[in-house]
Amino acid sequence: DAGITQSPRHKVTETGTPVTLRCHQTENHRYMYWYRQDPGHGLRLIHYSYGVKDTDKGEVSDGYSVSRSKTEDFLLTLESATSSQTSVYFCAISGGLAGGPKGQETQYFGPGTRLLVL
Amino acid sequence: QKEVEQNSGPLSVPEGAIASLNCTYSDRVSQSFFWYRQYSGKSPELIMSIYSNGDKEDGRFTAQLNKASQYVSLLIRDSQPSDSATYLCAVRSSGNQFYFGTGTSLTVIP
């Protein structure tokens, strides 16, 4: 593994509750991403970050927010969880060192978080 | 909308055969292309990257890229049962965003 951890690894929650997923990297990479993976849809980008406090939306960002206050941590928050947000969530990192030249190339994934919203 | 298309399969090959996986992409400015392997219940694992036209070989894996046709493929020689997994094609576009196909399920039959 590329030094990426996610917590929690499994979570069951109820509709309407807020949920925060954490991604932590030890690689000092500039770019961090949150994806969700659902059958028939593949990996879809929710949000990504290109530096501390620099984030942008992906293709399925509605209902999600993110924060990155430190290079190593990228948080994903479901503001009010819905059953449609039941999914497997993957964090990924890519690129060069934070603060260095523009990141590029390979993307590595964390182990994933299985979220069930009842 | 940047698209990456793969045949979903399932693709079944006998042990020892060559498995051929294909992918097309819509964004002509894409410069980097990747193949990931994902076992059931696990996260995607990078197995190949390719950046220029032609073939790139790494052990039993060969990636092929044709930018004019917007086509990238993965060949797995001497397929083993342990190669049974879903293979994801990914394209890195501008802004360091990655786009993924829905994956091809491969089964290698002993």
Side-chain angles (χ1 to χ4, degrees):
Chain A
D1 290 341
I4 312 168
T5 57
Q6 293 184 231
S7 59
R9 294 293 312 280
H10 301 271
K11 185 167 183 68
V12 180
T13 191
E14 293 185 350
T15 298
T17 60
V19 176
T20 296
L21 309 182
R22 179 180 184 243
C23 177
H24 179 79
Q25 61 150 328
T26 58
E27 306 297 320
N28 202 29
H29 279 345
R30 177 177 178 180
Y31 288 82
M32 299 185 75
Y33 308 79
W34 278 107
Y35 293 91
R36 60 179 290 174
Q37 187 174 40
D38 305 287
H41 291 279
L43 282 160
R44 292 182 291 174
L45 182 65
I46 304 171
H47 283 279
Y48 68 102
S49 169
Y50 45 96
V52 173
K53 297 186 179 179
D54 292 324
T55 65
D56 206 350
K57 296 178 180 179
E59 64 177 306
V60 290
S61 61
D62 287 348
Y64 301 95
S65 62
V66 290
S67 66
R68 191 172 179 195
S69 59
K70 297 185 291 185
T71 298
E72 58 267 34
D73 289 327
F74 193 31
L75 303 181
L76 176 71
T77 297
L78 288 65
E79 294 145 5
S80 177
T82 67
S83 58
S84 64
Q85 293 177 311
T86 292
S87 187
V88 179
Y89 291 85
F90 288 105
C91 174
I93 65 174
S94 80
L97 299 180
K102 187 175 181 178
Q104 55 178 292
E105 310 314 340
T106 317
Q107 191 171 67
Y108 299 97
F109 286 84
T113 295
R114 293 186 176 275
L115 176 67
L116 174 60
V117 183
L118 299 175
Chain B
Q1 179 79 13
K2 299 179 175 64
E3 294 182 347
V4 179
E5 300 284 344
Q6 294 180 253
N7 290 330
S8 60
L11 174 65
S12 294
V13 299
E15 184 174 354
I18 296 175
S20 178
L21 306 166
N22 304 315
C23 173
T24 59
Y25 60 94
S26 64
D27 186 4
R28 287 193 169 273
V29 302
S30 297
Q31 294 296 315
S32 306
F33 307 87
F34 308 90
W35 284 99
Y36 289 82
R37 178 177 61 200
Q38 187 175 26
Y39 293 115
S40 181
K42 301 295 186 182
S43 60
E45 170 193 12
L46 179 72
I47 54 172
M48 288 289 288
S49 58
I50 186 166
Y51 310 111
S52 55
N53 282 328
D55 295 357
K56 179 182 177 182
E57 186 175 318
D58 184 0
R60 296 186 296 110
F61 298 98
T62 298
Q64 299 174 318
L65 176 61
N66 183 326
K67 290 185 179 180
S69 300
Q70 296 176 241
Y71 175 89
V72 58
S73 66
L74 179 71
L75 300 177
I76 306 174
R77 292 183 301 280
D78 188 25
S79 295
Q80 301 296 308
S82 60
D83 295 326
S84 298
T86 296
Y87 289 80
L88 304 175
C89 174
V91 174
R92 184 179 72 84
S93 188
S94 59
N96 219 48
Q97 290 196 45
F98 293 72
Y99 296 88
F100 289 81
T102 54
T104 298
S105 175
L106 172 66
T107 300
V108 180
I109 303 168

